[in-house]
Amino acid sequence: MFRQAYCYNPFLTKCLSETMKLNRTLIISVFIVASCGLAYELIMAALASYLLGDSILQFSSIIGLYLFAMGIGAHLTKYIKDEDALARFIEIELLVGIIGGVSALALFVAFGLSAAPFRTLLYALVLTVGTVVGMEIPLVMRVLNQQQADFKELVSRVLTFDYLGALAVSLLFPLVLAPKLGMARSALLFGLLNAAVAVLTAKMFKSQLPRYRAIQTRGVFVLLILGLGFVYANKITFKAEQSYFSDPIVYESHSPYQRLVVTRWKDDTRLYINGNLQFSSRDEARYHEALVLPAMQMVPNAQNILILGGGDGLAAREVLKYPQVKKVTLVDLDPHMTDTFKHSGELSKLNNRSLSHPKMHIVNADAAKWLEETGGKFDVIIIDFPDPANFSLGKLYSVPVYRLVARHLAPNGLISVQSTSPYFAPNAYWSIVATLEAAGLYTAPYHVYVPSFGEWGFVLAGRENHFPLPEKFDVATRFLNGQTAAEMFRFPPDMARRKVEPNFLNTQILVSYFEQDWGNVMR
């Protein structure tokens, strides 16, 4: 009889319904706050990687510090009284929303000042946001526990939605948010979500909040600030980025893999990837002619050409000067890069519209995986990867990858490799030479002076120790001729070969050489 009376008591039934509704609201909030918490961590790590380089170090240090800060936040919740848990949870959501939301904008502005305040602000934000994010879940669980929820089910549901939220943002961030919204607007979007959770939770629990109107007013104010930031974020970041570069920015964009910025001053167009200069239109011909033409000239009747990297199409432009070429396959990881230099009128002029040439076949894939999965032989293979500044790039300069490349080399074919500076990074340069040799190839190192970069190095490699220096070039050039080509293969004493180790995947010694060499230059 008691059970029957309990079930049909209208007042108790209404109370149970309200309690269940409030609990569902809090559980949904867990999903959202978990997404936001991971998003801030990813955004700050990605920004540090873009602006400071060395993505492995940046992601590792920031994730470690962020988790440590979350532990501090979880510990601090023990000093919050049970009766204050709900109000503190709402206030923390507003706090993490405003700090996390503006974090990317603040970092962009700080980097424009110098790297020192950027690093200080970066780690301060990681500690602050991590601490307040660490307070969220313990407080939610205490609020739910006060609603007389079953503890075993409570823990299960909260942690399930916590992990689901983390999974959702880990997929959305690289695939949708970063390329579509960019870092600053993505952070502001998640800040808006945190603030919305605070406002909605306050409204649902207003009967339990003595200062409901004050909390709601603060929530609306935070939403307004973040909304205005979202609207004007691109203008703010554009002005901040303009201070990084000496020339006006004419194009900038994000992709899941990198950030592209193009600047122009008079007749000088420059491409920056993640803040690092890739070429200047005033002297890029020196670089690309040196990279491509010696190999093309040394392999008579080269018809089938492979380019790894080189998504700007400038190396392809040099290859297509040779009329006997029948097919050029270009493998570049980032479709955004190749699309930009294929379809942008101004940028496609630089590569003579090589990416739209009927002989060109563009593949957007990881070069190492593509080499593993694809057959075929190539007369000349041009490798134009970015410098080995981190482990993900360093693997492309490793013995296993060069062995893969050699499998695709036709008899009497040649490989040409962009190999960083033998003057500024001599250990890294000669390590690349040693790596090619450890892969079973003969090498012919050479270098050229490029005003934008200084002395720059390349390596020819092949199965035979036969590298006939060209006395002339059969195509039009801006820099190379028989005399300059001969000079490229001579090294002065201050760039002489060094005894260094080859680069294996297990050790990635090349990345260490590269960091040490360039670190010495910056001192």
Side-chain angles (χ1 to χ4, degrees), residues 196-264:
V197 165
V199 170
L200 179 61
T201 304
K203 185 175 182 180
M204 296 292 291
F205 287 86
K206 63 181 179 180
S207 62
Q208 302 178 35
L209 293 169
R211 301 177 60 201
Y212 166 71
R213 291 196 178 278
I215 291 174
Q216 201 72 343
T217 301
R218 288 201 297 271
V220 171
F221 177 75
V222 170
L223 284 171
L224 179 63
I225 295 297
L226 292 171
L228 288 171
F230 188 87
V231 172
Y232 292 103
N234 287 345
K235 290 184 179 179
I236 296 171
T237 55
F238 184 86
K239 288 183 178 179
E241 283 190 328
Q242 188 63 71
S243 65
Y244 311 164
F245 307 102
S246 56
D247 300 333
I249 296 173
V250 295
Y251 176 82
E252 56 89 21
S253 67
H254 280 288
S255 82
Y257 308 104
Q258 55 201 358
R259 180 167 181 79
L260 307 180
V261 173
V262 178
T263 67
R264 184 176 298 124

Side-chain angles (χ1 to χ4, degrees), residues 28 89 111 115 147 183 192 195 286 392 430 461 498:
I28 293 170
F89 170 73
F111 191 77
Q147 306 299 316
M183 297 297 166
L192 285 165
R286 282 179 166 245
S392 59
W430 291 110
R498 299 190 176 198

Side-chain angles (χ1 to χ4, degrees), residues 73-86:
H75 175 75
L76 291 176
T77 57
K78 78 174 188 178
Y79 299 106
I80 297 175
K81 297 177 181 179
D82 286 343
E83 58 267 27
D84 296 331
L86 177 61

Side-chain angles (χ1 to χ4, degrees), residues 285-286 289-290 293-294 445-449 455 458 469-473 477-490:
R286 282 179 166 245
E289 287 181 8
L293 300 189
Y446 63 106
H447 64 100
V448 67
Y449 179 73
E455 287 291 340
F458 308 88
L469 296 184
E471 296 180 358
K472 63 181 183 65
F473 290 87
T477 64
R478 289 167 55 187
F479 166 69
L480 277 182
N481 57 29
Q483 181 180 350
T484 54
E487 291 170 354
M488 290 194 305
F489 289 84
R490 301 189 188 107

Side-chain angles (χ1 to χ4, degrees), residues 36 48 81 186 218 228 291 319 332 457 465 479 481 493 518:
C36 296
K81 297 177 181 179
S186 292
R218 288 201 297 271
L228 288 171
L291 172 67
V319 168
D332 190 280
N465 193 14
F479 166 69
N481 57 29
W518 285 104

Side-chain angles (χ1 to χ4, degrees), residues 59 74 206 218 221 341 343 351 354 376 384 462 511:
F59 271 90
K206 63 181 179 180
R218 288 201 297 271
F221 177 75
F341 278 84
H343 298 298
N351 60 39
S354 61
D384 191 18
V511 177

Side-chain angles (χ1 to χ4, degrees), residues 228-496:
L228 288 171
F230 188 87
V231 172
Y232 292 103
N234 287 345
K235 290 184 179 179
I236 296 171
T237 55
F238 184 86
K239 288 183 178 179
E241 283 190 328
Q242 188 63 71
S243 65
Y244 311 164
F245 307 102
S246 56
D247 300 333
I249 296 173
V250 295
Y251 176 82
E252 56 89 21
S253 67
H254 280 288
S255 82
Y257 308 104
Q258 55 201 358
R259 180 167 181 79
L260 307 180
V261 173
V262 178
T263 67
R264 184 176 298 124
W265 175 251
K266 296 183 179 179
D267 63 340
D268 185 16
T269 299
R270 298 187 172 210
L271 170 67
Y272 296 83
I273 295 180
N274 296 344
N276 298 312
L277 178 65
Q278 302 302 301
F279 70 75
S280 164
S281 60
R282 285 182 176 174
D283 56 24
E284 58 81 14
R286 282 179 166 245
Y287 173 96
H288 291 100
E289 287 181 8
L291 172 67
V292 173
L293 300 189
M296 291 295 297
Q297 199 68 33
M298 291 182 194
V299 181
N301 200 34
Q303 297 181 0
N304 194 15
I305 314 300
L306 173 64
I307 302 174
L308 301 176
D312 53 30
L314 297 173
R317 176 197 67 197
E318 299 301 318
V319 168
L320 289 167
K321 288 179 178 179
Y322 287 84
Q324 75 270 20
V325 170
K326 292 184 177 179
K327 183 179 180 181
V328 182
T329 302
L330 187 147
V331 182
D332 190 280
L333 178 64
D334 192 353
H336 188 70
M337 176 79 164
T338 50
D339 287 346
T340 298
F341 278 84
K342 181 177 182 179
H343 298 298
S344 168
E346 290 298 318
L347 296 176
S348 64
K349 286 180 184 177
L350 296 175
N351 60 39
N352 288 346
R353 295 179 173 77
S354 61
L355 298 182
S356 301
H357 198 282
K359 294 179 181 179
M360 178 65 61
H361 175 56
I362 297 173
V363 179
N364 293 118
D366 179 272
K369 289 182 179 178
W370 184 86
L371 289 167
E372 270 190 73
E373 298 168 358
T374 306
K377 302 285 186 180
F378 299 89
D379 301 309
V380 172
I381 300 176
I382 309 294
I383 302 180
D384 191 18
F385 294 136
D387 286 342
N390 55 57
F391 292 112
S392 59
L393 291 170
K395 76 170 185 179
L396 300 173
Y397 291 80
S398 65
V399 171
V401 170
Y402 286 150
R403 284 176 180 158
L404 275 175
V405 173
R407 288 183 204 168
H408 292 270
L409 190 63
N412 304 316
L414 286 179
I415 303 165
S416 179
V417 184
Q418 183 288 116
S419 307
T420 196
S421 171
Y423 183 80
F424 296 110
N427 293 307
Y429 176 79
W430 291 110
S431 177
I432 294 171
V433 175
T435 305
L436 286 160
E437 292 171 351
L441 297 163
Y442 292 98
T443 64
Y446 63 106
H447 64 100
V448 67
Y449 179 73
V450 182
S452 296
F453 301 115
E455 287 291 340
W456 210 255
F458 308 88
V459 186
L460 286 177
R463 289 202 185 90
E464 298 180 6
N465 193 14
H466 182 63
F467 303 96
L469 296 184
E471 296 180 358
K472 63 181 183 65
F473 290 87
D474 299 332
V475 296
T477 64
R478 289 167 55 187
F479 166 69
L480 277 182
N481 57 29
Q483 181 180 350
T484 54
E487 291 170 354
M488 290 194 305
F489 289 84
R490 301 189 188 107
F491 283 81
D494 60 354
M495 291 193 290

